[in-house]
Amino acid sequence: MIGLVAVTGNGARNARHLHSSWSDARLYEGNVRESLSRAWSECDGIVLFLATGAALRLVSGLLGDKRTDPGVVTVDDGGRFAVALCGGHEGGANGLARRVADTLGAEPVITTASEAVDLASLGSLGDHLGFVAEEGSDLAAVGRALVSGEEVRLVSDARWPIGPLPDNVVRGGLPDDGAPAMIVSDRLEEFPHPSVVYRPPSLVVGVGCSRGAPAEEILNLLRFSVREAGLSERSIAHLASVEAKRDEPGLREAAGELGLEVRFHPAEVLSEIEVPNPSEAAMRAVGTPSVCEAAALAGGGELIVHKRKSANATVAVARKPVRGRLYLVSLGPGEDDLIPPLARKALARSDLVVGLDQYVDRVRHMLRPGTRVETPPLGSEVERAEMAISEARAGASAALVSSGDIGVYAMGSPALEALGGEEGVEVVSVPGITAANAAASLLGSPLGHDHCSISLSDLLTPWEAIERRIEAAGAGDFVVSFYNPRSRGRDWQLGKARDILLDYRPPETPVGLVTDAYRPTEKVKLTDLGSLRLEDVDMLTVVIVGSSQTRLSGGRMVTPRGYSL
Ligand code: SAH
């Protein structure tokens, strides 16, 4: 819960705005000192609409332990700045300042040191992979070392696709000389100090139980087995069991207590998995010789705790294989503001970025120091895909970038074809605004009813197939977006496409030509099918031909939602 405390009229107006926009905010009204101390005990974060000086005086009497105090953000009377005053990392004030800034259109002010090294924060390293920093980690000491450029050791049993790190972070074994370390491990060990220990979601606990097994018994067996094997409970990614146990109350309750999901697998799948301790009883009861061991292993990996039993439950633990990441990143048509926020995140987390020169250039300023960039020339799609895939296969994170949407006439399909069913690589796709959508927004609303896209490039597709599709689009009365309409070597295809469509719709049918949408060189032209001039079109144009219903309204191209025939 986020507490909002305001004093002045302006402050109260901004507080009310946050209150009406956020579902987790509560307004505290009345005496400011009392409101603040109530909010202090009831909330995880507090937004104080006060000058920092006044806020400091009020907050100072309440400060206790920074691990448990709420994060505090102050906002000036003009609503221009959201200052993370205290509890930046642990209290979440940095994130809260950004949220406040987003909603009020203010500037977030964040002063904690690790921000300066461009790591979102040491504590949130790998949070996109599900890492959690262990309580009691020396965040401040390691953070200081990181910012001051001192060598910090990165120790990890497996290579996780964390993304680029500052160059004073060096991979290696545990330091024995007191050097600061960042340790990624699921093992319960006495690690040297100063260090930050990250718990990766690397373990799967398979659980079997008889009907009516109490949650407490399952939990006790699970916790005992994990701890005895020297493993951290915080590294459990999820539980796993057999489909027949989906409604077993004890198992559900145990998972709820741990805050974990249970993945249920069909008995036929589990019975195919080879395990060290199969049992006849399990076979009779649920149709697979193993529940806990097979379920733990169902996602691949290695069994590290064999079956353990209590009266009504069994558990086994597997360590999942670590997978590298392949990001398929769409950059939108051209303008920075149309680059999806998820694309920015993916790029900041990529060790390697692969794409055509002109696309990579658009995002270079978003890459973290240490990111490698490869820009093989046009015409080498397979080579580009292979470059990124082999990086991901080695456990790193690699991004393939395309303009528009990466799934539309771009690198998405060659990359996924090259990857096939390879399990060692996780694919994360970021969708983007494709040329047809970008052009449509500049023309009006031409895609308001059924539409299709056709590429006029016959380099990879036989012209007969393209022609058949244009005929079909004509017969079906689809609005058509033509991609790759014309290039120096391909100058007749668009004329032919126009002639085919003229068999189906009148010459007055509106046509929009958009070249370089959302780039400084953007050109937008409205014409009609009868007067479409090929010389207005080049390789960077998308041509949108209306259906028989498309018309101009106020100078804009509109395809009505409802056909009134
Ligand atoms: N993946 C891209 C399409 C690549 S095919 C996307 O989703 O947009 C290349 C064709 O897309 C070009 O020949 C042109 O027809 C169209 N195109 C790409 N970017 C464009 C832009 N900014 N303005 C107009 N057309 C564009």
Side-chain angles (χ1 to χ4, degrees):
M1 184 59 65
I2 306 295
L4 309 173
V5 182
V7 180
T8 64
N10 275 343
R13 253 193 307 284
N14 281 330
R16 280 198 299 274
H17 179 57
L18 293 192
H19 186 240
S20 61
S21 324
W22 295 359
S23 58
D24 60 346
R26 184 183 297 165
L27 272 176
Y28 287 83
E29 285 166 321
N31 178 293
V32 65
R33 194 175 290 277
E34 282 166 21
S35 299
L36 181 61
S37 71
R38 262 192 299 134
W40 196 271
S41 56
E42 292 169 1
C43 297
D44 318 302
I46 295 176
V47 186
L48 252 178
F49 294 83
L50 271 183
T52 47
L56 262 179
R57 262 179 266 282
L58 283 171
V59 164
S60 61
L62 298 167
L63 289 173
D65 184 335
K66 74 172 183 178
R67 280 174 303 183
T68 51
D69 282 346
V72 179
V73 169
T74 63
V75 179
D76 62 301
D77 206 48
R80 289 168 306 157
F81 301 105
V83 185
L85 188 68
C86 53
H89 292 145
E90 287 89 343
N94 292 348
L96 183 56
R98 290 196 190 92
R99 263 184 89 188
V100 173
D102 261 355
T103 309
L104 295 182
E107 188 77 35
V109 180
I110 288 158
T111 58
T112 43
S114 55
E115 303 297 317
V117 285
D118 237 2
L119 279 175
S121 124
L122 192 57
S124 57
L125 177 94
D127 61 356
H128 60 294
L129 303 171
F131 286 15
V132 276
E134 190 67 274
E135 275 164 35
S137 282
D138 312 309
L139 280 165
V142 178
R144 256 193 314 276
L146 208 54
V147 190
S148 65
E150 236 179 276
E151 184 173 310
V152 176
R153 194 70 64 78
L154 176 65
V155 188
S156 179
D157 298 335
R159 180 164 182 196
W160 289 84
I162 300 172
L165 292 166
D167 58 8
N168 56 324
V169 177
V170 178
R171 285 175 198 274
L174 285 172
D176 50 14
D177 55 357
M182 295 155 72
I183 300 163
V184 182
S185 174
D186 56 23
R187 285 175 289 116
L188 289 177
E189 257 182 52
E190 263 311 310
F191 291 113
H193 290 281
S195 60
V196 180
V197 178
Y198 300 94
R199 297 300 184 194
S202 52
L203 306 174
V204 180
V205 181
V207 183
C209 58
S210 44
R211 187 161 313 146
E216 202 186 337
E217 180 184 335
I218 298 174
L219 273 174
N220 285 343
L221 176 67
L222 184 155
R223 289 199 158 119
F224 176 78
S225 309
V226 167
R227 202 171 323 119
E228 204 196 38
L231 299 168
S232 167
E233 188 184 311
R234 302 184 81 188
S235 270
I236 305 176
H238 58 87
L239 308 185
S241 191
V242 64
E243 193 60 55
K245 297 290 162 192
R246 192 175 278 280
D247 295 318
E248 189 60 43
L251 177 55
R252 286 185 163 273
E253 195 186 323
E257 176 82 14
L258 292 164
L260 294 169
E261 170 206 0
V262 191
R263 298 208 181 146
F264 295 97
H265 303 279
E268 309 86 82
V269 172
L270 296 186
S271 55
E272 296 292 311
I273 298 172
E274 207 158 307
V275 296
N277 300 294
S279 105
E280 271 299 315
M283 186 67 200
R284 276 195 305 275
V286 282
T288 164
S290 166
V291 174
C292 68
E293 291 183 340
L297 283 170
E302 166 201 11
L303 200 64
I304 48 176
V305 177
H306 288 203
K307 176 161 80 179
R308 310 204 46 140
K309 284 205 285 205
S310 63
N312 299 291
T314 60
V315 303
V317 184
R319 188 177 274 131
K320 299 201 300 181
V322 178
R323 298 191 294 168
R325 270 205 184 180
L326 176 66
Y327 288 108
L328 300 178
V329 181
S330 305
L331 300 183
E335 190 170 299
D336 253 23
D337 282 352
L338 292 181
I339 296 178
L342 275 181
R344 292 170 190 269
K345 285 193 182 160
L347 292 170
R349 289 165 181 164
S350 295
D351 297 294
L352 172 71
V353 173
V354 184
L356 290 181
D357 238 340
Q358 69 256 39
Y359 303 144
V360 174
D361 278 347
R362 280 175 47 199
V363 295
R364 261 183 220 277
H365 60 288
M366 295 171 193
L367 307 183
R368 295 285 186 262
T371 308
R372 285 185 300 119
V373 169
E374 295 283 355
T375 56
L378 195 65
S380 50
E381 280 77 16
V382 176
E383 187 194 336
R384 266 182 278 156
E386 285 294 348
M387 264 181 189
I389 290 171
S390 63
E391 185 80 3
R393 202 179 273 142
S397 55
L400 272 171
V401 300
S402 285
S403 82
D405 185 288
I406 192 161
V408 178
Y409 308 121
M411 288 302 298
S413 21
L416 294 182
E417 273 185 296
L419 188 64
E422 209 166 304
E423 284 179 356
V425 175
E426 183 185 2
V427 177
V428 178
S429 271
V430 179
I433 297 168
T434 184
N437 293 135
S441 72
L442 295 169
L443 291 166
S445 193
L447 308 183
H449 210 296
D450 298 335
H451 56 275
C452 65
S453 297
I454 298 178
S455 166
L456 292 184
S457 169
D458 53 358
L459 299 178
L460 301 171
T461 312
W463 177 253
E464 300 72 59
I466 298 174
E467 207 170 295
R468 252 196 334 271
R469 286 176 198 157
I470 303 169
E471 292 277 359
D477 201 22
F478 286 91
V479 175
V480 189
S481 306
F482 287 111
Y483 282 67
N484 301 304
R486 184 164 182 255
S487 69
R488 230 170 297 147
R490 289 187 301 104
D491 55 1
W492 54 267
Q493 287 84 346
L494 182 61
K496 184 80 185 132
R498 174 196 55 200
D499 295 344
I500 297 173
L501 287 181
L502 276 170
D503 291 341
Y504 296 93
R505 38 194 98 161
E508 301 77 43
T509 304
V511 172
L513 310 177
V514 178
T515 306
D516 279 336
Y518 293 96
R519 297 179 189 162
T521 41
E522 171 183 294
K523 274 191 291 196
V524 180
K525 189 176 154 87
L526 270 176
T527 175
D528 60 45
L529 200 53
S531 14
L532 171 59
R533 294 192 321 171
L534 302 187
E535 50 288 16
D536 290 333
V537 172
D538 66 22
M539 245 178 86
L540 280 162
T541 309
V542 68
V543 177
I544 302 189
V545 180
S547 70
S548 66
Q549 304 300 308
T550 304
R551 58 198 66 163
L552 293 184
S553 165
R556 299 186 192 92
M557 190 173 167
V558 174
T559 305
R561 286 273 329 265
Y563 278 3
S564 40
L565 292 173

